[in-house]
Amino acid sequence: MITTIIVFIIVFGILVVFHEFGHYIVAKKSGIMVREFSIGMGPKLFYYRKKGTTYTVRLLPIGGYVRMAGGSDDEEEIKPGTPVTLKLNDQNIVTNINTSKKQTLFQGIPLIITSTDLEKDLWVEGYENGDESTVKRYSVDHDAIIIEEDGTEVQVAPIDVQLGSASLPKRMLTNFAGVFNNFVLAIVVYTILSFVQGGVLTNTNKVDVLPTDSIAKDAGIRSGDKILSVNNHQTDNWTEIAQQIQPNAGKKINVKIQRDNSTKELSLTPKKQKSGENTIGVIGITQSLDHSFKAKILSGFTQSWEMTKRLVLAIASMFSGHFSLNDLGGPVAIFATTSQATKFGLTGVLSFLAFLSLNLGIVNLIPIPGLDGGKLVLNIIEAIRRKPISENTETVITLIGFGFLMLLIVLVTWNDIQRYFLH
């Protein structure tokens, strides 16, 4: 259990951080201010500021986020009635605004905020030193720092560095960058996996035999043999072999093999093995490996492409046929599957990480408001209309999408708990 928890945290963390790093790097290159890049969620443990971005590490090691200036998660900073402390430079322009009661970093001017404009004209107004007879106004520097309630320092976000001020192509690239990074991660991990396991799994009817506990080995099958048919059903590749063997758990089957130029027919009985909620038949064989250097180098692309096709077909079948919550999986399902992946060691974890990365990338492209795909659809609509959707309309659409996603997450999580722990 401890190993599973550690692997789950590492895998989930790599997935989310890699995804968010895509948004981060393209936003920075596009002139969009990234106010915060967080690893983890919840209360902050520590932070570091550099070149306008605050990098935070937070308590809960589950994911992370990128907070872009003017983005949907960039909240209003200072509300009227908030007590703050101002630090001024030699020109009496505000360089620091302390809103945290936990921080007394500098001796400054105490002010009760009555109004602010930290986007266009850059000023704050309020009652100085408790004197409510006069409202004082101070100009705010373009790169001023706000110390938030939890003590985190972030830079103010003037309109010129906000997400909405970037050109449409730059915003589209920023929205797509997270998904792009997930595909890059999958390609890299699949390539590493091929070197770790010594070759690339091939989808042919040539098989390798497990060295121990192998029914196939006991029946006379050897590594390098080709399985030509199972129960007289022709098998030209690994997928067809699995389709014929797995449904026959505990049932005797006839297998025709080819070794060099000779053929032989064998009889054997696949043993029963649990796979999620199902029981499948296995005989102790694996896909053969292509050990060539070229295959290993190209494996990241080829395996990512093959898995992408399978995932897209699986998602398409959900929308075209009978939908079930069992077709979906949330963090609970990922945790349960992580437990199975760790049993296969490093290769199992790497394969699972690449699969999840592709899954996250493809799901994020679904045009649901709140996902990257939904944001891209709004970008496309803006391109067609040649003007952006009104802020109120976009807010309503985003809230509806967010509400739908939250409801789906709750339903999927409860369904996963029932499937994996209460069944």
Side-chain angles (χ1 to χ4, degrees):
M1 179 62 73
I2 297 298
T3 302
T4 300
I5 292 173
I6 293 172
V7 173
F8 173 77
I9 290 172
I10 293 173
V11 167
F12 202 76
I14 290 173
L15 285 175
V16 178
V17 170
F18 229 83
H19 179 92
E20 295 300 333
F21 183 76
H23 293 307
Y24 161 83
I25 195 68
V26 176
K28 295 277 278 190
K29 294 292 184 181
S30 301
I32 301 165
M33 178 189 290
V34 177
R35 306 185 72 193
E36 182 184 359
F37 186 104
S38 175
I39 297 177
M41 308 290 282
K44 72 172 177 62
L45 297 178
F46 60 86
Y47 70 90
Y48 170 74
R49 285 193 68 256
K50 185 176 181 181
K51 295 183 179 179
T53 299
T54 301
Y55 303 88
T56 56
V57 175
R58 297 185 176 271
L59 179 63
L60 302 176
I62 46 173
Y65 60 87
V66 166
R67 180 176 161 192
M68 285 181 272
S72 58
D73 57 349
D74 195 28
E75 303 171 356
E76 180 185 353
E77 287 124 357
I78 309 175
K79 296 178 180 179
T82 302
V84 303
T85 305
L86 307 180
K87 183 178 181 180
L88 310 181
N89 62 16
D90 295 337
Q91 289 77 41
N92 284 331
I93 297 175
V94 176
T95 58
N96 294 73
I97 305 173
N98 182 9
T99 70
S100 174
K101 296 177 182 178
K102 304 176 184 178
Q103 298 276 352
T104 54
L105 296 179
F106 55 82
Q107 295 295 321
I109 300 171
L111 196 76
I112 303 297
I113 293 294
T114 57
S115 184
T116 65
D117 180 355
L118 298 177
E119 293 187 341
K120 296 180 181 178
D121 295 327
L122 300 178
W123 51 259
V124 294
E125 287 183 345
Y127 303 124
E128 186 176 315
N129 291 312
D131 180 8
E132 298 187 6
S133 62
T134 304
V135 174
K136 295 289 293 288
R137 173 181 285 205
Y138 289 95
S139 295
V140 177
D141 186 76
H142 183 276
D143 299 325
I145 302 300
I146 296 175
I147 303 173
E148 299 185 312
E149 289 187 11
D150 66 351
T152 305
E153 294 184 10
V154 296
Q155 198 162 309
V156 296
I159 195 74
D160 60 296
V161 294
Q162 290 189 10
L163 177 64
S165 297
S167 67
L168 181 59
K170 288 181 178 179
R171 281 183 279 137
M172 292 185 74
L173 286 173
T174 300
N175 288 331
F176 180 70
V179 171
F180 178 79
N181 254 27
N182 282 125
F183 284 106
V184 170
L185 176 61
I187 291 170
V188 171
V189 173
Y190 272 132
T191 303
I192 293 172
L193 175 63
S194 69
F195 280 92
V196 169
Q197 64 189 12
V200 182
L201 295 174
T202 62
N203 191 28
T204 67
N205 60 359
K206 183 184 286 188
V207 300
D208 287 337
V209 178
L210 295 179
T212 58
D213 194 23
S214 173
I215 294 171
K217 181 180 180 182
D218 295 340
I221 299 176
R222 300 290 178 262
S223 292
D225 289 351
K226 293 182 178 180
I227 296 182
L228 303 179
S229 67
V230 177
N231 285 342
N232 295 320
H233 291 280
Q234 184 174 327
T235 52
D236 295 324
N237 54 56
W238 173 262
T239 303
E240 293 175 355
I241 294 171
Q243 288 173 344
Q244 294 302 320
I245 294 176
Q246 289 180 357
N248 288 296
K251 301 176 185 177
K252 191 174 183 180
I253 60 173
N254 295 315
V255 178
K256 185 178 181 180
I257 66 168
Q258 177 182 332
R259 183 179 304 157
D260 298 325
N261 294 321
S262 63
T263 61
K264 184 187 298 186
E265 291 196 11
L266 305 170
S267 294
L268 60 162
T269 303
K271 70 176 180 179
K272 298 178 181 180
Q273 181 173 295
K274 291 291 289 183
S275 176
E277 295 180 334
N278 302 317
T279 299
I280 61 173
V282 297
I283 61 172
I285 59 174
T286 63
Q287 293 169 265
S288 64
L289 291 176
D290 184 341
H291 300 280
S292 69
F293 182 77
K294 178 182 177 181
K296 293 175 185 178
I297 289 295
L298 295 177
S299 64
F301 298 94
T302 56
Q303 292 191 74
S304 294
W305 174 242
E306 290 299 321
M307 185 57 69
T308 297
K309 289 192 292 185
R310 293 184 199 176
L311 289 170
V312 170
L313 288 173
I315 292 173
S317 67
M318 286 168 47
F319 289 99
S320 61
H322 177 66
F323 173 75
S324 169
L325 283 176
N326 289 334
D327 296 329
L328 304 176
V332 174
I334 294 174
F335 180 82
T337 313
T338 302
S339 177
Q340 297 176 14
T342 54
K343 295 177 182 177
F344 295 92
L346 180 59
T347 57
V349 173
L350 288 174
S351 181
F352 187 50
L353 173 59
F355 168 78
L356 282 180
S357 191
L358 286 175
N359 215 315
L360 179 61
I362 292 169
V363 168
N364 253 286
L365 282 178
I366 297 175
I368 297 175
L371 297 179
D372 293 334
K375 295 174 184 177
L376 286 168
V377 168
L378 293 178
N379 292 149
I380 293 170
I381 292 173
E382 179 182 339
I384 295 171
R385 297 175 73 237
R386 296 188 178 181
K387 62 178 181 179
I389 296 173
S390 70
E391 188 174 336
N392 289 338
T393 302
E394 185 172 348
T395 299
V396 170
I397 292 173
T398 302
L399 286 175
I400 292 173
F402 183 76
F404 172 76
L405 288 175
M406 289 301 100
L407 176 62
L408 191 61
I409 288 172
V410 170
L411 293 175
V412 168
T413 300
W414 175 243
N415 186 65
D416 286 345
I417 292 172
Q418 289 181 309
R419 275 201 298 169
Y420 292 100
F421 298 105
L422 301 180
H423 185 67

